[in-house]
Structure formats: C-alpha cells, structure tokens
Amino acid sequence: MESLTKLWGEVSDYLKQRIDPYHYKSYIAPIRPRSVLDGRLLLEVPNERFVDWLGDTYLDTIGALVRSTSGLPLEVQLISRSNGNGDHDKPPPTPNPYNGKYTFESFVVGRGNSTAYAASQAVVEHPGQVYNPLFIYSGVGLGKTHLLHAIGNSAHEERPELRTAYVTSEEFTNEFIQAIRYDRSVELRNKYRSLDILLIDDLQFLADKEATLEELFHTFNTLYNNNKQIVFTSDRPPNEIKLDKRLVTRFEWGLVIDIQPPDIETRIAIISSKAENEGVKLPEDVIELIAQRVRTNIRTIEGAILRLSAFSAISEQPITTKMAREVLGNILGRETPQVSIGQIQKLVCEHFELPLRDLLSKSRNASIVFPRQVAMYLSRNLTNAKLNEIGLQFGGRDHSTVIHSYNKIRDLVERDPEMAALVGKLERRASLGGE
Ligand code: ADP
Ligand code: MG
C-alpha cells in the first residue's frame, strides 16, 4: 500500500508540473490509488463522469507514467466511487468548474445587455439549435466573462447531462502548444470535440495565431456539424479581429451581439445589487454618486464598493458621500465628465440640422421636441449634472420635464432598434468629441 501511494504520488506530481493547473485540481487531485489486481492498477475517481473525461484525456498518459515510474507492465483502470446503483440514464454531475458568483441570477439586466443575456439563456435551453455560434462582444468589464460562466453554471445545475467547457483563448493556445510538444494532439481534439457547449473567452487574443486558429477552425467545424453549441466573446466584432476569413464567415451563420455600457438606471441597479450581495449598506446618494461617475466598467464599480466598505469597517464610520469622495477620489476622477451639456446640444443640433436657439426654445413642434428630448436623455446619461441643472440649461425647464424626456427616449430605445442605433451613435460621438 505504501509503495502504491508513493507510486501515485510521483505520477501525480509529474502531471502537476506539466498539465493545466485547473485540470490538475479538478480531475487529477481527486484520484485515489486503490490496489493492484492482475496486473491492473485500480484508480478510484468520484464518479462516472471522471471515468469518461479522464478516459478521453489523460488516461493514456497516466498509464505510460505508471509503467515508466514503476518499471512494471501495469494497465490502469479507473473505477467510479459512486458506482453500483445501476442508474445509468442520469450521469452524475460534473465537478463544477465555473465561478459560483457569475450566475444568471446575479446578472443585472438592463438596456445594453438584455439581448446578450437572453441569447445566453437560450443557449442553455437549446444548445446548438437557436444561436449557433453565439458571438458576444463589448468593452472591458461589461459582463462577457460573467455570462459565459452563467451559461456554464446554469447548464451544470439544470442540464447536468451536458458536457461543457470554458476556456480563454490564451488557455486554448497554451493547451494547443503543449499538445504539439508532448504529442497529445489526439487527446486535445477529443477533449474539445466531445463537448455539447464550448465557451471561448476573449477570442481577440487569437488574432494572427495561425496554427491555433487552424485548430480552432477544425474544432469549430466538428462541433458545429454535430449541432453542438459554441459561444465566443471578444472585445470587438468578428470582422475587426485578424482571423481567418472562413471563421469570420461562420460567425455570420449565428448571432453576433454587443453589450453596450449600462445606462444610469442599470448602473444604479447594479450598484444596489452588488452592495446587497456584499452586505454593504450604501445610502441612496452614494449609489447615485458612483453611478454618475463610473460609466463604462462594472469591475470599477465593484472595486469602489469594496473599497468603501473596507474603509468604513476600519474607520468604524458609516458610508457617506463625503467619505466616498475622499476614498474614491481617484476612481471617480478617472471617469469624470468628458462631455458637457453644451457639447451634447451642439452635437444633437448638428445631427438633426437644427439651430441651437430652437433646441432651447419653448417650441412644441414635434421636429424640435424630439431632438430636445434626445439631448436631455444624453445629458442625463453622459454628464454628472443634476436634473434641475439639465433643466436650466435647456431654457429653464423643471426637473420633471427632464425625467419625462429621459423616460420617453429610454422606452423608445428599448423598443425600437433603429432608435437604439441612433442614440448609440450619438452617445459614442459625444464621448469621443467631448475630450
Ligand atoms: P468582461 O468579461 O466583459 O470584461 P466581466 O464579465 O469580467 O467583464 O465583468 C466584470 C465584473 O462586473 C464582474 O465581476 C461581473 O460580475 C460584473 N458585471 C458585469 N456586468 C454585470 C451585470 N449586468 N450585472 C451584475 N454584475 C455584472
Ligand atoms: Mg472577460
């Protein structure tokens, strides 16, 4: 027994040095050597799923290592601990490799991310059938990785029979390079090509990596042809990544969607939900302050909440806007307003070919009211101005007019993709032009 433990210790140490740490932790570390019987080394694993997965991936390597380490002609056999109940229809659950915090439940849905959210849910319900491949792109910190993990978590919970894998494109590249180096290409192929859902994060890192892309292309084809689901994320749309044309064409067979930065209401909802999850008491005005200042990266919002809560705990003081300004000075400063209400008005007037004087007038003419409402909407979304300040700068209107305009445009944007495109375009221009 002692020599068995020692033998296994050496083999698993060897693997630990060489294979993907995540694989080691999830799949190799739980293996227990049991006995040697008729020239077979019996290795016990938690369940049938391990038997399948290891059989497809590392079993041959383990066998070779066992033989070379022991100097004996041993065969390796995997046995499942949870065996013998005869229930073969329902495979035991896979060890869950997904971040438990990144679920559909903890994802706040709002304008900008609702399509990506709905498509991600559909992928779990009908893998390979509705949006295949699904391609999600956005700027940093807007929830792409969160959604991929949510797909994985939800599949793990609700559809444990599905085989899923999450991999960043860097990990994919490394595995591919290792596989070539150690002559394990067949194992790598089997690993990816036997999946029901493959989740690949940050595809942009594969730009120009020709050999890896070739491998990915074949993996893609195999999965796609077997109606298996593939989900990609990237920081830009497919045609802006330096990829094989054939791959880009395939993305067009599926659904390509972007996540837009959250509007102020979504940001407020996200902050409230994060604070609640972390057990942090944030007063309304502090929530509003953070929401106004941090606009484009939700990770920054999370950082702000954690810092405030730590500071409040250490100083034994309740969180106030004064404390927030002091503690978050540099975070809030980084995203200070890039654009003024004046600049927004100018931009909107240019777009609608309207004189500024009309925009600021009391006219109720529809061709003026609409641009004015758009400009108010943008002012609320892109500047830190309070409602009454915005009202003032639009020819002395009160704050309820601003709210009304804001709600009206927000509803239009939600319902009408053309409106969403128009407002999105103006928003981007305002943030670019306002430097
Ligand atoms: P990306 O991969 O797009 O850079 P992440 O998925 O890593 O972004 O998101 C950054 C952080 O923000 C994560 O902690 C994530 O949970 C959080 N986050 C992003 N979008 C949302 C959302 N809509 N609701 C709740 N949390 C979110
Ligand atoms: Mg990410």
PDB file of all heavy atoms in Angstrom, residues 31-48:
ATOM      1  N   ILE A  31      -8.151  11.839  -7.659  1.00  0.00           N
ATOM      2  CA  ILE A  31      -7.930  10.402  -7.921  1.00  0.00           C
ATOM      3  C   ILE A  31      -7.279   9.730  -6.711  1.00  0.00           C
ATOM      4  O   ILE A  31      -6.341  10.273  -6.124  1.00  0.00           O
ATOM      5  CB  ILE A  31      -7.012  10.218  -9.153  1.00  0.00           C
ATOM      6  CG1 ILE A  31      -7.676  10.800 -10.404  1.00  0.00           C
ATOM      7  CG2 ILE A  31      -6.669   8.739  -9.367  1.00  0.00           C
ATOM      8  CD1 ILE A  31      -6.804  10.738 -11.649  1.00  0.00           C
ATOM      9  N   ARG A  32      -7.779   8.538  -6.329  1.00  0.00           N
ATOM     10  CA  ARG A  32      -7.186   7.771  -5.222  1.00  0.00           C
ATOM     11  C   ARG A  32      -6.722   6.408  -5.742  1.00  0.00           C
ATOM     12  O   ARG A  32      -7.522   5.672  -6.318  1.00  0.00           O
ATOM     13  CB  ARG A  32      -8.208   7.543  -4.106  1.00  0.00           C
ATOM     14  CG  ARG A  32      -8.706   8.812  -3.436  1.00  0.00           C
ATOM     15  CD  ARG A  32      -7.659   9.414  -2.497  1.00  0.00           C
ATOM     16  NE  ARG A  32      -8.072  10.740  -2.072  1.00  0.00           N
ATOM     17  CZ  ARG A  32      -7.739  11.876  -2.689  1.00  0.00           C
ATOM     18  NH1 ARG A  32      -6.950  11.835  -3.743  1.00  0.00           N
ATOM     19  NH2 ARG A  32      -8.163  13.052  -2.256  1.00  0.00           N
ATOM     20  N   PRO A  33      -5.432   6.062  -5.519  1.00  0.00           N
ATOM     21  CA  PRO A  33      -4.984   4.728  -5.923  1.00  0.00           C
ATOM     22  C   PRO A  33      -5.573   3.701  -4.963  1.00  0.00           C
ATOM     23  O   PRO A  33      -5.598   3.942  -3.755  1.00  0.00           O
ATOM     24  CB  PRO A  33      -3.461   4.816  -5.772  1.00  0.00           C
ATOM     25  CG  PRO A  33      -3.242   5.874  -4.753  1.00  0.00           C
ATOM     26  CD  PRO A  33      -4.383   6.846  -4.860  1.00  0.00           C
ATOM     27  N   ARG A  34      -6.101   2.597  -5.460  1.00  0.00           N
ATOM     28  CA  ARG A  34      -6.740   1.626  -4.578  1.00  0.00           C
ATOM     29  C   ARG A  34      -5.947   0.329  -4.424  1.00  0.00           C
ATOM     30  O   ARG A  34      -5.613  -0.062  -3.323  1.00  0.00           O
ATOM     31  CB  ARG A  34      -8.156   1.317  -5.069  1.00  0.00           C
ATOM     32  CG  ARG A  34      -9.168   2.368  -4.664  1.00  0.00           C
ATOM     33  CD  ARG A  34      -9.267   2.464  -3.134  1.00  0.00           C
ATOM     34  NE  ARG A  34     -10.058   3.620  -2.719  1.00  0.00           N
ATOM     35  CZ  ARG A  34      -9.627   4.559  -1.878  1.00  0.00           C
ATOM     36  NH1 ARG A  34      -8.406   4.505  -1.387  1.00  0.00           N
ATOM     37  NH2 ARG A  34     -10.399   5.560  -1.544  1.00  0.00           N
ATOM     38  N   SER A  35      -5.653  -0.322  -5.532  1.00  0.00           N
ATOM     39  CA  SER A  35      -4.938  -1.594  -5.406  1.00  0.00           C
ATOM     40  C   SER A  35      -4.377  -2.021  -6.749  1.00  0.00           C
ATOM     41  O   SER A  35      -4.711  -1.432  -7.776  1.00  0.00           O
ATOM     42  CB  SER A  35      -5.882  -2.682  -4.889  1.00  0.00           C
ATOM     43  OG  SER A  35      -6.982  -2.787  -5.775  1.00  0.00           O
ATOM     44  N   VAL A  36      -3.529  -3.019  -6.719  1.00  0.00           N
ATOM     45  CA  VAL A  36      -3.058  -3.621  -7.957  1.00  0.00           C
ATOM     46  C   VAL A  36      -3.639  -5.025  -8.025  1.00  0.00           C
ATOM     47  O   VAL A  36      -3.529  -5.803  -7.073  1.00  0.00           O
ATOM     48  CB  VAL A  36      -1.518  -3.681  -8.006  1.00  0.00           C
ATOM     49  CG1 VAL A  36      -1.052  -4.372  -9.283  1.00  0.00           C
ATOM     50  CG2 VAL A  36      -0.949  -2.282  -7.924  1.00  0.00           C
ATOM     51  N   LEU A  37      -4.292  -5.323  -9.127  1.00  0.00           N
ATOM     52  CA  LEU A  37      -5.021  -6.579  -9.251  1.00  0.00           C
ATOM     53  C   LEU A  37      -4.760  -7.138 -10.648  1.00  0.00           C
ATOM     54  O   LEU A  37      -5.066  -6.466 -11.633  1.00  0.00           O
ATOM     55  CB  LEU A  37      -6.519  -6.265  -9.085  1.00  0.00           C
ATOM     56  CG  LEU A  37      -7.416  -7.366  -8.557  1.00  0.00           C
ATOM     57  CD1 LEU A  37      -7.256  -7.485  -7.045  1.00  0.00           C
ATOM     58  CD2 LEU A  37      -8.873  -7.021  -8.892  1.00  0.00           C
ATOM     59  N   ASP A  38      -4.224  -8.338 -10.717  1.00  0.00           N
ATOM     60  CA  ASP A  38      -3.987  -8.988 -12.015  1.00  0.00           C
ATOM     61  C   ASP A  38      -3.288  -8.063 -13.009  1.00  0.00           C
ATOM     62  O   ASP A  38      -3.747  -7.915 -14.145  1.00  0.00           O
ATOM     63  CB  ASP A  38      -5.320  -9.417 -12.672  1.00  0.00           C
ATOM     64  CG  ASP A  38      -6.039 -10.436 -11.827  1.00  0.00           C
ATOM     65  OD1 ASP A  38      -5.354 -11.110 -11.017  1.00  0.00           O
ATOM     66  OD2 ASP A  38      -7.281 -10.550 -11.956  1.00  0.00           O
ATOM     67  N   GLY A  39      -2.252  -7.389 -12.580  1.00  0.00           N
ATOM     68  CA  GLY A  39      -1.531  -6.508 -13.499  1.00  0.00           C
ATOM     69  C   GLY A  39      -2.266  -5.223 -13.838  1.00  0.00           C
ATOM     70  O   GLY A  39      -1.909  -4.514 -14.773  1.00  0.00           O
ATOM     71  N   ARG A  40      -3.315  -4.926 -13.084  1.00  0.00           N
ATOM     72  CA  ARG A  40      -4.029  -3.667 -13.320  1.00  0.00           C
ATOM     73  C   ARG A  40      -3.954  -2.785 -12.073  1.00  0.00           C
ATOM     74  O   ARG A  40      -4.203  -3.256 -10.957  1.00  0.00           O
ATOM     75  CB  ARG A  40      -5.506  -3.932 -13.641  1.00  0.00           C
ATOM     76  CG  ARG A  40      -5.749  -4.367 -15.078  1.00  0.00           C
ATOM     77  CD  ARG A  40      -7.191  -4.738 -15.271  1.00  0.00           C
ATOM     78  NE  ARG A  40      -7.585  -5.799 -14.336  1.00  0.00           N
ATOM     79  CZ  ARG A  40      -8.802  -5.929 -13.828  1.00  0.00           C
ATOM     80  NH1 ARG A  40      -9.755  -5.079 -14.147  1.00  0.00           N
ATOM     81  NH2 ARG A  40      -9.069  -6.907 -12.996  1.00  0.00           N
ATOM     82  N   LEU A  41      -3.636  -1.520 -12.306  1.00  0.00           N
ATOM     83  CA  LEU A  41      -3.668  -0.566 -11.202  1.00  0.00           C
ATOM     84  C   LEU A  41      -5.057   0.058 -11.175  1.00  0.00           C
ATOM     85  O   LEU A  41      -5.493   0.661 -12.153  1.00  0.00           O
ATOM     86  CB  LEU A  41      -2.601   0.514 -11.411  1.00  0.00           C
ATOM     87  CG  LEU A  41      -2.701   1.751 -10.520  1.00  0.00           C
ATOM     88  CD1 LEU A  41      -2.512   1.395  -9.045  1.00  0.00           C
ATOM     89  CD2 LEU A  41      -1.682   2.804 -10.926  1.00  0.00           C
ATOM     90  N   LEU A  42      -5.746  -0.108 -10.039  1.00  0.00           N
ATOM     91  CA  LEU A  42      -7.096   0.460  -9.953  1.00  0.00           C
ATOM     92  C   LEU A  42      -7.038   1.851  -9.322  1.00  0.00           C
ATOM     93  O   LEU A  42      -6.524   2.019  -8.216  1.00  0.00           O
ATOM     94  CB  LEU A  42      -8.003  -0.439  -9.109  1.00  0.00           C
ATOM     95  CG  LEU A  42      -8.186  -1.879  -9.601  1.00  0.00           C
ATOM     96  CD1 LEU A  42      -9.213  -2.621  -8.742  1.00  0.00           C
ATOM     97  CD2 LEU A  42      -8.636  -1.894 -11.060  1.00  0.00           C
ATOM     98  N   LEU A  43      -7.548   2.822 -10.064  1.00  0.00           N
ATOM     99  CA  LEU A  43      -7.602   4.197  -9.558  1.00  0.00           C
ATOM    100  C   LEU A  43      -9.056   4.569  -9.344  1.00  0.00           C
ATOM    101  O   LEU A  43      -9.885   4.433 -10.251  1.00  0.00           O
ATOM    102  CB  LEU A  43      -6.973   5.158 -10.569  1.00  0.00           C
ATOM    103  CG  LEU A  43      -5.485   4.972 -10.867  1.00  0.00           C
ATOM    104  CD1 LEU A  43      -5.047   5.965 -11.948  1.00  0.00           C
ATOM    105  CD2 LEU A  43      -4.651   5.167  -9.598  1.00  0.00           C
ATOM    106  N   GLU A  44      -9.338   5.043  -8.140  1.00  0.00           N
ATOM    107  CA  GLU A  44     -10.726   5.389  -7.848  1.00  0.00           C
ATOM    108  C   GLU A  44     -10.979   6.885  -8.091  1.00  0.00           C
ATOM    109  O   GLU A  44     -10.187   7.726  -7.664  1.00  0.00           O
ATOM    110  CB  GLU A  44     -11.057   5.041  -6.401  1.00  0.00           C
ATOM    111  CG  GLU A  44     -12.534   5.140  -6.112  1.00  0.00           C
ATOM    112  CD  GLU A  44     -12.819   4.957  -4.634  1.00  0.00           C
ATOM    113  OE1 GLU A  44     -12.692   5.923  -3.868  1.00  0.00           O
ATOM    114  OE2 GLU A  44     -13.170   3.825  -4.254  1.00  0.00           O
ATOM    115  N   VAL A  45     -12.068   7.176  -8.783  1.00  0.00           N
ATOM    116  CA  VAL A  45     -12.453   8.573  -9.042  1.00  0.00           C
ATOM    117  C   VAL A  45     -13.863   8.791  -8.518  1.00  0.00           C
ATOM    118  O   VAL A  45     -14.593   7.813  -8.298  1.00  0.00           O
ATOM    119  CB  VAL A  45     -12.383   8.893 -10.557  1.00  0.00           C
ATOM    120  CG1 VAL A  45     -10.947   8.894 -11.043  1.00  0.00           C
ATOM    121  CG2 VAL A  45     -13.224   7.927 -11.367  1.00  0.00           C
ATOM    122  N   PRO A  46     -14.253  10.054  -8.281  1.00  0.00           N
ATOM    123  CA  PRO A  46     -15.534  10.306  -7.613  1.00  0.00           C
ATOM    124  C   PRO A  46     -16.756   9.764  -8.353  1.00  0.00           C
ATOM    125  O   PRO A  46     -17.707   9.343  -7.724  1.00  0.00           O
ATOM    126  CB  PRO A  46     -15.596  11.833  -7.516  1.00  0.00           C
ATOM    127  CG  PRO A  46     -14.174  12.258  -7.529  1.00  0.00           C
ATOM    128  CD  PRO A  46     -13.462  11.285  -8.419  1.00  0.00           C
ATOM    129  N   ASN A  47     -16.782   9.841  -9.663  1.00  0.00           N
ATOM    130  CA  ASN A  47     -17.976   9.366 -10.353  1.00  0.00           C
ATOM    131  C   ASN A  47     -17.673   9.007 -11.804  1.00  0.00           C
ATOM    132  O   ASN A  47     -16.578   9.179 -12.293  1.00  0.00           O
ATOM    133  CB  ASN A  47     -19.104  10.413 -10.273  1.00  0.00           C
ATOM    134  CG  ASN A  47     -18.664  11.749 -10.854  1.00  0.00           C
ATOM    135  OD1 ASN A  47     -18.083  11.788 -11.942  1.00  0.00           O
ATOM    136  ND2 ASN A  47     -18.908  12.826 -10.136  1.00  0.00           N
ATOM    137  N   GLU A  48     -18.697   8.508 -12.451  1.00  0.00           N
ATOM    138  CA  GLU A  48     -18.620   8.013 -13.823  1.00  0.00           C
ATOM    139  C   GLU A  48     -18.105   9.093 -14.791  1.00  0.00           C
ATOM    140  O   GLU A  48     -17.426   8.808 -15.756  1.00  0.00           O
ATOM    141  CB  GLU A  48     -20.044   7.618 -14.211  1.00  0.00           C
ATOM    142  CG  GLU A  48     -20.278   6.337 -14.958  1.00  0.00           C
ATOM    143  CD  GLU A  48     -19.457   5.120 -14.564  1.00  0.00           C
ATOM    144  OE1 GLU A  48     -19.114   4.848 -13.444  1.00  0.00           O
ATOM    145  OE2 GLU A  48     -19.152   4.419 -15.423  1.00  0.00           O
TER     146      GLU A  48
END
